[in-house]
Amino acid sequence: MMFVEVFTPEGFLTSERRDRLAHDLVNEVVKADSAPPEVLEAERAISHVVFHEVGTWYTGGRRAEHGLLVRVSVPEGWREDMSPYLVEIYGRLLGDSAAMVHVVGVPEGGLGLGGEVLRANDIVRLITRPFRESGAQRAEPPAGSGLDPVCGMYVPFEHAAGTAERDGTRYAFCSKGCHEVFEEERTRLQ
């Protein structure tokens, strides 16, 4: 779950530029070549972009005619891992050397949806539910990779956030959250 706020001086972005930027700010982050489409769509569905046009903006003590500040709120448990990725992608998308990106961690239990408090792993379950409930079987992972059984991605073992073995199969996890959800559910079933 991401909440992206874009701050600009009033009138700096056209309506068309806002539409394009909102699309790109979500879709450039929520993509993975090996992720099932239903997982990507579930993640996009809970990613929000809001624009704030500021009437008065100063940079270096002078009134600014242009400028961009993007603040991204993510669960605190994801902040450290996501920050380099978000700063690089958003910096490239904004294409402005003066654009700033702030990644803010929301404390555990500080997010809610539909009147329910969501912790970081609850969000992982929400996003991956369409894949996990579909019962879809993925093809054998490419050599040197493992399947993340939570989100359905193929993950190279060398880049995995964690691995686990179950019933003779070695799994690779795309994120700490997927690994934790796998272990929590495995513990619950035992």
Side-chain angles (χ1 to χ4, degrees):
M1 173 182 280
M2 287 192 318
F3 184 67
V4 181
E5 297 173 275
V6 180
F7 296 85
T8 65
E10 199 168 63
F12 178 63
L13 295 176
T14 65
S15 177
E16 293 80 20
R17 177 73 173 125
R18 279 192 309 272
D19 290 348
R20 183 78 218 156
L21 195 53
H23 175 271
D24 291 349
L25 288 172
V26 171
N27 288 291
E28 286 299 311
V29 170
V30 181
K31 70 178 186 179
D33 294 338
S34 70
E38 60 269 28
V39 171
L40 296 175
E41 187 51 41
E43 189 170 353
R44 285 185 193 107
I46 60 172
S47 296
H48 306 275
V49 178
V50 174
F51 289 88
H52 301 281
E53 289 197 355
V54 180
T56 307
W57 183 298
Y58 290 88
T59 301
R62 295 189 177 108
R63 191 175 187 107
E65 299 297 321
H66 63 85
L68 286 165
L69 168 67
V70 176
R71 180 170 56 201
V72 188
S73 298
V74 298
E76 177 59 40
W78 302 0
R79 185 187 52 76
E80 187 174 344
D81 291 339
M82 287 188 76
S83 289
Y85 177 69
L86 291 171
V87 166
E88 186 275 322
I89 286 182
Y90 286 172
R92 181 174 41 79
L93 283 175
L94 298 171
D96 183 342
S97 62
M100 296 187 85
V101 178
H102 294 179
V103 181
V104 179
V106 179
E108 191 70 3
L111 293 169
L113 185 64
E116 298 290 324
V117 172
L118 295 178
R119 299 190 173 290
N121 288 350
D122 296 329
I123 297 168
V124 171
R125 284 184 190 86
L126 178 68
I127 292 168
T128 61
R129 182 182 311 146
F131 167 72
R132 295 182 312 128
E133 289 182 353
S134 73
Q137 297 296 314
R138 303 277 335 251
E140 193 66 29
S145 296
L147 174 69
D148 182 326
V150 176
C151 70
M153 286 182 62
Y154 298 126
V155 180
F157 286 113
E158 67 185 89
H159 299 298
T163 62
E165 193 164 316
R166 186 180 201 179
D167 300 327
T169 301
R170 184 173 176 214
Y171 296 106
F173 298 92
C174 72
S175 68
K176 183 173 72 171
C178 279
H179 192 197
E180 288 173 356
V181 166
F182 178 81
E183 293 299 336
E184 287 170 5
E185 292 182 357
R186 181 163 79 169
T187 301
R188 221 179 325 207
L189 294 174
Q190 293 177 345

